[in-house]
Amino acid sequence: AQSVTQLDSQVPVFEEAPVELRCNYSSSVSVYLFWYVQYPNQGLQLLLKYLSGSTLVESINGFEAEFNKSQTSFHLRKPSVHISDTAEYFCAVSDRQGGSEKLVFGKGTKLTVNP
Amino acid sequence: DAGITQSPRHKVTETGTPVTLRCHQTENHRYMYWYRQDPGHGLRLIHYSYGVKDTDKGEVSDGYSVSRSKTEDFLLTLESATSSQTSVYFCATTLGSGGSYEQYFGPGTRLTVT
């Protein structure tokens, strides 16, 4: 079964600084990869996803993630963060065992953007 | 986005009482899921459904049961609530049938067991 490791539980940064949130998954078989964002007291929203094709995927608000098959990683980056990016970010990977459609989530990374 | 609602949004109950949480979706998605979210644990899958009357256990299913009698509704029941079940519960759906596995989440239910 798949597992997902988010290497940092908390990441504090200053506004306009770059940030990278790290995500590694366990299996190198064909996977779908996702980043979700959760703002305080809300549900999870899809930020971006990798299904196939270009290994670099982007979101509408300036985040990007790169699928690296050899390193089984899907790190999330943003070149310049805003206060409004403060949230918890979850990496998820598809788990295709047994024919069921499930996602396995990491434990989350809390991003705090300070002025 | 899928229209997913959860009810109630907040509930306080006493140890030993039964509790039912409801998830309702309007997108005719085949798969539905119940997760619990706890600090330091991320999201953990409780149960999921792959069709009407078709359900299966997730990684933390002990103490929980589910039912799905209609495509749009997925109920989570705590037969006898315990303090360890104090958590935020999220419902999610996905289209299924060879789709992208992308899941859509409801707003959550905050449950406190005293």
Side-chain angles (χ1 to χ4, degrees):
Chain A
Q2 285 279 6
S3 65
V4 177
T5 301
Q6 292 185 240
L7 294 162
D8 305 295
S9 59
Q10 298 190 46
V11 174
V13 295
F14 288 108
E15 194 173 18
E16 298 184 1
V19 71
E20 179 179 76
L21 307 184
R22 295 177 291 170
C23 173
N24 287 90
Y25 59 96
S26 59
S27 174
S28 61
V29 298
S30 180
V31 294
Y32 298 146
L33 294 156
F34 305 84
W35 276 100
Y36 283 83
V37 59
Q38 184 181 33
Y39 299 104
N41 299 313
Q42 295 186 23
L44 278 71
Q45 305 172 30
L46 182 69
L47 185 62
L48 47 76
K49 60 186 177 184
Y50 170 78
L51 305 181
S52 65
S54 173
T55 58
L56 185 66
V57 291
E58 299 178 350
S59 72
I60 59 173
N61 58 350
F63 282 94
E64 64 180 30
E66 186 163 19
F67 168 54
N68 188 318
K69 186 175 182 178
S70 63
Q71 297 186 10
T72 60
S73 68
F74 191 55
H75 301 333
L76 181 70
R77 296 187 291 264
K78 189 171 185 179
S80 176
V81 294
H82 302 288
I83 298 288
S84 59
D85 293 324
T86 294
E88 190 160 17
Y89 293 80
F90 293 92
C91 180
V93 61
S94 58
D95 184 355
R96 300 189 179 192
Q97 291 194 359
S100 63
E101 298 204 9
K102 294 187 288 186
L103 293 181
V104 177
F105 287 84
K107 294 184 177 181
T109 298
K110 287 187 177 179
L111 174 66
T112 302
V113 182
N114 298 301
Chain B
D1 288 344
I4 304 172
T5 57
Q6 294 184 231
S7 59
R9 294 293 313 280
H10 302 271
K11 186 171 183 65
V12 179
T13 192
E14 293 183 349
T15 298
T17 60
V19 176
T20 296
L21 309 183
R22 179 179 184 244
C23 177
H24 179 78
Q25 57 121 341
T26 59
E27 296 296 317
N28 202 35
H29 283 179
R30 178 184 174 191
Y31 284 78
M32 299 184 75
Y33 310 82
W34 277 108
Y35 295 92
R36 59 178 290 174
Q37 184 179 24
D38 305 289
H41 291 278
L43 271 78
R44 293 182 289 176
L45 182 65
I46 305 171
H47 282 280
Y48 66 99
S49 169
Y50 47 96
V52 174
K53 293 185 171 36
D54 293 323
T55 65
D56 205 351
K57 296 179 179 180
E59 64 176 298
V60 290
S61 59
D62 288 347
Y64 301 94
S65 62
V66 291
S67 66
R68 192 169 178 200
S69 59
K70 298 185 291 185
T71 299
E72 57 266 34
D73 290 326
F74 192 33
L75 303 181
L76 176 71
T77 297
L78 291 65
E79 300 291 347
S80 177
T82 67
S83 59
S84 64
Q85 294 176 312
T86 292
S87 187
V88 181
Y89 291 86
F90 287 100
C91 174
T93 73
T94 192
L95 179 61
S97 300
S100 69
Y101 288 60
E102 175 180 341
Q103 292 185 11
Y104 301 88
F105 283 80
T109 294
R110 185 173 296 275
L111 176 67
T112 302
V113 183
T114 61

